[in-house]
Amino acid sequence: MRLLLIEDDKNIIRPLSLALKAENYVIDIAYDGERGYSLARTNDYDLMILDYNLPKLNGREIIEKIRAERINIPIIMLTVRSEINDKIDLLTLGADDYLVKPFVLSELLARLKALSRRPKTWQSRILKLGSLKLDLDKFLLTKDEHRIILSSKEFSLLEYLLKNKGHIMSRQEIMEHVWDENADPFSNTIEVHIRNLRKKLEMDGKKIIFTVSNRGYKIDEKK
């Protein structure tokens, strides 16, 4: 999952980003509201963590702007206790949840998982294709009940393809969703990871990841 963190406190950013990466999130970080708003408008994110007090644009202003533009990314707002009286206003504007600083990382991670379970179109936390089963909570892939070891990026790529099963996903869509903004769009990293997934998933000779010429990739049980 790709997540946008908009926070200017580096004492929070470092431990939080490490915890999120350990949970297999791909993270983009903005240190001020203007940059965060720009990223939210231009990239496809699954979740957003948004601080209330930010330079240039505050959290409330960001929510107003992106909801006015019908950007429906789930948002969890970070506030301090002096701002908690604004919680009804924030939820009314379009925040999905809030957490008061200082917070416990495990609680934030649990709230993120809860938000990810209730998108507009609900999706199971276990993704399946034939005998393949990808458990998002356990970071576990099995085929015919046998475990297949994936790298973090292979897992994220497979998750994205399975969530869009049967649909052709362009190279740009994959890059925007599975890699962060620092990735080189002209590198062959997608091709390398697709090749690695094929080696691990298609050992029985049954093809499930298809290259569609000049369009992208799709995962399906039939071409």
Side-chain angles (χ1 to χ4, degrees), residues 51-199:
D51 188 26
Y52 187 95
N53 276 322
L54 291 164
K56 300 184 180 180
L57 282 177
N58 65 37
R60 188 184 192 284
E61 292 170 320
I62 292 172
I63 291 177
E64 281 186 307
K65 285 177 175 290
I66 67 173
R67 292 307 191 221
E69 295 177 30
R70 300 186 182 277
I71 299 171
N72 294 318
I73 174 175
I75 299 171
I76 183 165
M77 176 72 73
L78 302 180
T79 72
V80 298
R81 292 198 177 275
S82 61
E83 299 155 350
I84 202 165
N85 291 332
D86 297 315
K87 65 182 180 181
I88 295 175
D89 180 43
L90 293 172
L91 294 172
T92 301
L93 280 173
D96 296 274
D97 199 356
Y98 72 93
L99 198 58
V100 177
K101 296 179 179 179
F103 55 85
V104 178
L105 279 174
S106 58
E107 181 180 0
L108 176 59
L109 294 173
R111 287 174 183 253
L112 288 171
K113 284 187 178 181
L115 282 181
S116 71
R117 291 189 184 102
R118 50 183 175 97
K120 290 178 293 183
T121 302
W122 188 84
Q123 288 184 303
S124 171
R125 297 290 293 174
I126 297 178
L127 306 177
K128 296 180 180 179
L129 179 71
S131 60
L132 278 180
K133 184 167 72 172
L134 190 72
D135 189 318
L136 303 183
D137 290 327
K138 295 180 180 179
F139 193 77
L140 175 66
L141 173 66
T142 57
K143 184 174 183 179
D144 296 316
E145 303 304 321
H146 298 290
R147 182 170 186 173
I148 298 174
I149 304 299
L150 298 180
S151 70
S152 177
K153 193 60 68 179
E154 289 167 353
F155 191 96
S156 296
L157 176 56
L158 182 58
E159 175 187 350
Y160 184 62
L161 291 174
L162 285 173
K163 283 185 173 179
N164 294 281
K165 180 172 57 179
H167 298 281
I168 300 168
M169 308 313 297
S170 71
R171 195 178 186 283
Q172 180 179 346
E173 288 172 321
I174 293 171
M175 181 63 74
E176 289 179 351
H177 199 90
V178 180
W179 275 263
D180 63 31
E181 62 173 336
N182 298 313
D184 180 1
F186 301 106
S187 74
N188 68 341
T189 186
I190 292 176
E191 290 74 15
V192 169
H193 283 84
I194 289 286
R195 184 166 64 245
N196 290 342
L197 280 179
R198 282 173 169 156
K199 288 179 180 178

Side-chain angles (χ1 to χ4, degrees), residues 10-55:
K10 293 184 179 180
N11 292 322
I12 291 176
I13 291 169
R14 178 170 173 74
L16 180 52
S17 61
L18 289 173
L20 290 168
K21 288 175 182 177
E23 292 291 322
N24 206 40
Y25 289 101
V26 176
I27 311 164
D28 288 342
I29 301 173
Y31 298 92
D32 65 71
E34 283 187 358
R35 175 63 175 161
Y37 171 55
S38 175
L39 289 174
R41 294 182 68 208
T42 55
N43 295 320
D44 181 18
Y45 294 104
D46 297 292
L47 295 163
M48 180 193 296
I49 301 173
L50 176 61
D51 188 26
Y52 187 95
N53 276 322
L54 291 164

